[in-house]
Amino acid sequence: MTAALECKGIGRNFGALAALADVNLVVQPGEVRAVIGPNGAGKSTLFNVVAGAVKPTAGSVFVDGQNITGMTAQRICHYGISRTFQISALFPEMSAFDNVRLAAQGKLADRWRPIGGRQVLEQASELASTAMSRLNLNAIQDIAVGTLSHGDQRLVEVAMALSQRPTILMLDEPTQGMSIQETHRTVDTLKALLSEEKLTVVLVEHDMDVVFSLADRIAVLHRGQLIADGTADEVKENAAVQDAYLGGLD
Ligand code: ADP
Ligand code: MG
């Protein structure tokens, strides 16, 4: 089976700092893979290398066997990778639906006609509707995003990524800053989504309860190196992981 995603020997230096060193990671189609690690471990850098926001200084990234190393984020999106956006990527005065529709449109639209024609608009609206109902966001679709709760805003970001019909969905700390109730709701919503559809997911997450309830396998980064990679039980029992976390769990 061709891996959905493969990182081979990924390195990324920032000046003298090796934020990533020889990271090898294979994610199979349909797998939900968490990437965890203490603060500064290199999780976001790895995420950004895969999504095209940061170029690696060594190694290669393959999506479904195709080498996407060093491509722009826009091009990588066309290879089936969609990531959650930062909060600042939301247009606060626009409705939740329009934010999601714009994300769908961004992928559909012709490069030379970034807004697209009527057909693109209709298609984008359909994709947005589908993504929002899959995340149970229909009730809030007409509300200006800026007035939504933090939890709803983060789910709107997931809907934006989902509307692009990715084969690999990358979630960057989807429950960050959420209350306990919002976190539970988000986990339930994501669980329902993943049980309905075989999506490949890469999840960067701090919250261990979230990781253990969503992920099939867990990769652990520490100081830019992959120190463990396995099931929840394997990772929990790994001595190197225990050491790393005793040194600075965030
Ligand atoms: P994590 O997401 O696991 O907390 P990061 O990937 O954000 O870790 O960061 C890993 C290391 O790389 C940290 O020491 C961080 O300060 C450094 N780093 C990340 N991005 C940059 C950058 N653009 N310039 C310089 N150093 C960076
Ligand atoms: Mg980070």
Side-chain angles (χ1 to χ4, degrees), residues 77-155:
C77 183
H78 284 276
Y79 279 79
I81 293 189
S82 291
R83 62 175 294 174
T84 46
F85 290 68
Q86 297 295 309
I87 288 290
S88 56
L90 293 167
F91 292 101
E93 271 140 48
M94 279 172 46
S95 71
F97 183 85
D98 285 345
N99 271 275
V100 178
R101 196 197 58 198
L102 261 188
Q105 212 170 323
K107 183 171 179 190
L108 287 172
D110 190 289
R111 190 145 72 98
W112 306 111
R113 290 201 310 164
I115 306 302
R118 189 194 177 84
Q119 207 188 344
V120 165
L121 256 171
E122 282 168 6
Q123 223 179 324
S125 295
E126 225 174 277
L127 289 168
S129 282
T130 309
M132 294 201 85
S133 39
R134 282 159 78 202
L135 293 167
N136 300 323
L137 294 175
N138 304 72
I140 57 133
Q141 68 173 24
D142 296 325
I143 300 175
V145 140
T147 65
L148 293 173
S149 69
H150 178 66
D152 281 337
Q153 291 192 8
R154 305 275 348 214
L155 279 173

Side-chain angles (χ1 to χ4, degrees), residues 11-247:
R12 171 67 212 208
N13 299 330
F14 291 112
L17 173 82
L20 294 173
D22 195 28
V23 172
N24 295 292
L25 185 72
V26 176
V27 182
Q28 298 298 350
E31 190 182 334
V32 179
R33 172 63 70 96
V35 177
I36 66 169
N39 227 344
K43 304 180 297 292
S44 295
T45 305
L46 182 62
F47 193 96
N48 286 328
V49 162
V50 171
V54 164
K55 293 201 192 320
T57 37
S60 309
V61 182
F62 298 87
V63 171
D64 197 22
Q66 299 175 89
N67 192 338
I68 61 153
T69 320
M71 287 184 187
T72 60
Q74 178 80 9
R75 256 192 99 192
I76 287 175
C77 183
H78 284 276
Y79 279 79
I81 293 189
S82 291
R83 62 175 294 174
T84 46
F85 290 68
Q86 297 295 309
I87 288 290
S88 56
L90 293 167
F91 292 101
E93 271 140 48
M94 279 172 46
S95 71
F97 183 85
D98 285 345
N99 271 275
V100 178
R101 196 197 58 198
L102 261 188
Q105 212 170 323
K107 183 171 179 190
L108 287 172
D110 190 289
R111 190 145 72 98
W112 306 111
R113 290 201 310 164
I115 306 302
R118 189 194 177 84
Q119 207 188 344
V120 165
L121 256 171
E122 282 168 6
Q123 223 179 324
S125 295
E126 225 174 277
L127 289 168
S129 282
T130 309
M132 294 201 85
S133 39
R134 282 159 78 202
L135 293 167
N136 300 323
L137 294 175
N138 304 72
I140 57 133
Q141 68 173 24
D142 296 325
I143 300 175
V145 140
T147 65
L148 293 173
S149 69
H150 178 66
D152 281 337
Q153 291 192 8
R154 305 275 348 214
L155 279 173
V156 168
E157 292 179 76
V158 178
M160 288 166 77
L162 207 56
S163 76
Q164 300 179 328
R165 302 206 55 95
T167 48
I168 302 176
L169 178 64
M170 299 192 63
L171 302 173
D172 193 358
E173 300 199 27
T175 68
Q176 188 192 23
M178 284 188 185
S179 67
I180 291 167
Q181 287 89 334
E182 285 177 327
T183 300
H184 282 312
R185 185 185 140 219
T186 303
V187 168
D188 289 346
T189 306
L190 290 175
K191 259 189 163 165
L193 170 74
L194 296 173
S195 70
E196 281 160 23
E197 186 167 344
K198 269 277 169 223
L199 259 175
T200 308
V201 177
V202 178
L203 168 74
V204 169
E205 181 59 64
H206 276 315
D207 187 324
M208 287 303 152
D209 291 335
V210 173
V211 168
F212 291 137
S213 50
L214 289 176
D216 299 315
R217 288 173 71 82
I218 300 167
V220 187
L221 274 176
H222 182 52
R223 295 190 182 138
Q225 295 188 319
L226 208 67
I227 58 166
D229 188 7
T231 64
D233 286 340
E234 284 165 2
V235 161
K236 276 184 213 168
E237 278 158 25
N238 185 302
V241 174
Q242 288 172 4
D243 282 352
Y245 269 72
L246 287 173

